[in-house]
Amino acid sequence: MLQDLRDLVGDLVRDVVDRLGEAARDRAIQLAVIQYGKDRPRTVVSDLAVVATPAPRHLELPEGWDATSSDALAIEHPIGHVPPSYVPRHLWSTLETPAGRVIGLPRSIPVADECRLTWTRPHVLGADADTIPVADREAVGQYAAAVLLDQVAALTSGDQSSMIMADAVDHKDSAPNYAERARTARRRYHDLLGIDPKRIQPASVTVSPPLASTTGQDRLLHWRRRR
């Protein structure tokens, strides 16, 4: 539950929570739940009837579908086979129609038949509902702690110039210390969930600058125009 996670974050970074306040702690927990949902999506299964009006043949989106984060993963048809019989992924797609978003299906699936849709929806964390497994609670708490530590590192980064001139520096309150604690908390999050943080590499562009000539001067490249 939410209070359990609040208590856990307080145990992890009580000095930071006392400094930033409970509202900042709750916002950090919210961000941690969103990130956890990206790394460990909440999977739901719904049985839906095939409809044909308005065209094309489709499934209506299930109740609880979130327009910004839900995603369709698989469609089983017909239902009940062992092993399950899935509609090939290239035969269905999420479509925008004048009536709203639907999941378009091939015409080979009869109208009124039921399909079993596997899809994702956001995790819930509140006073009365909690979809985060107990085994993953520490991971979410560690990510929230990292968010808070990053904030304090940013707040204290401007104090470094004055600290350099001081004879004695309280290193535990320095921006680099908070930044390192944030990195440690984020590593702990990844370790607990078994995630490789390098799995997604940012796009890059390789540029090869022209090399200098043997005399140390810039090379002149003359391109011959084709006729």
Side-chain angles (χ1 to χ4, degrees):
M1 297 300 176
L2 176 58
Q3 189 56 50
D4 296 329
L5 203 51
R6 286 170 171 168
D7 294 340
L8 176 59
V9 174
D11 292 341
L12 293 172
V13 285
R14 189 167 305 281
D15 58 325
V16 174
V17 173
D18 291 343
R19 181 167 186 167
L20 296 179
E22 294 181 353
R25 175 205 59 196
D26 287 351
R27 288 191 295 271
I29 291 174
Q30 184 180 14
L31 292 174
V33 172
I34 293 173
Q35 182 60 47
Y36 174 76
K38 295 177 181 178
D39 295 322
R40 289 289 186 273
R42 178 187 173 193
T43 303
V44 186
V45 177
S46 301
D47 289 346
L48 304 169
V50 178
V51 294
T53 305
R57 194 162 302 195
H58 64 274
L59 298 176
E60 300 286 352
L61 296 181
E63 183 179 356
W65 180 280
D66 185 273
T68 60
S69 61
S70 290
D71 189 25
L73 302 179
I75 298 175
E76 182 183 349
H77 181 273
I79 295 175
H81 286 198
V82 179
S85 176
Y86 291 105
V87 181
R89 182 62 185 85
H90 68 281
L91 294 181
W92 60 270
S93 179
T94 304
L95 305 173
E96 296 290 347
T97 72
R101 186 177 297 179
V102 299
I103 300 175
L105 298 173
R107 294 184 61 84
S108 58
I109 299 180
V111 174
D113 268 22
E114 279 201 335
C115 291
R116 182 160 292 166
L117 175 68
T118 302
W119 56 288
T120 64
R121 64 184 305 183
H123 281 279
V124 176
L125 179 66
D128 302 318
D130 184 359
T131 61
I132 299 174
V134 175
D136 291 342
R137 188 169 294 165
E138 183 193 346
V140 177
Q142 290 287 356
Y143 195 94
V147 171
L148 294 170
L149 288 163
D150 280 337
Q151 293 177 16
V152 178
L155 286 173
T156 56
S157 61
D159 300 335
Q160 298 307 300
S161 58
S162 59
M163 291 171 59
I164 292 174
M165 303 300 297
D167 293 332
V169 176
D170 190 355
H171 293 285
K172 67 181 178 59
D173 289 329
S174 67
N177 174 67
Y178 287 118
E180 180 56 35
R181 289 174 63 188
R183 285 191 290 270
T184 300
R186 200 164 274 110
R187 281 197 301 269
R188 177 67 175 164
Y189 168 83
H190 290 140
D191 290 344
L192 286 169
L193 296 183
I195 295 172
D196 180 3
K198 298 180 181 179
R199 70 192 188 284
I200 301 177
Q201 295 292 339
S204 62
V205 176
T206 302
V207 178
S208 299
L211 300 176
S213 67
T214 55
T215 61
Q217 302 298 319
D218 292 339
R219 293 181 183 269
L220 296 178
L221 300 180
H222 300 279
W223 299 95
R224 180 174 299 176
R225 182 179 299 177
R226 293 184 178 179
R227 296 182 179 180

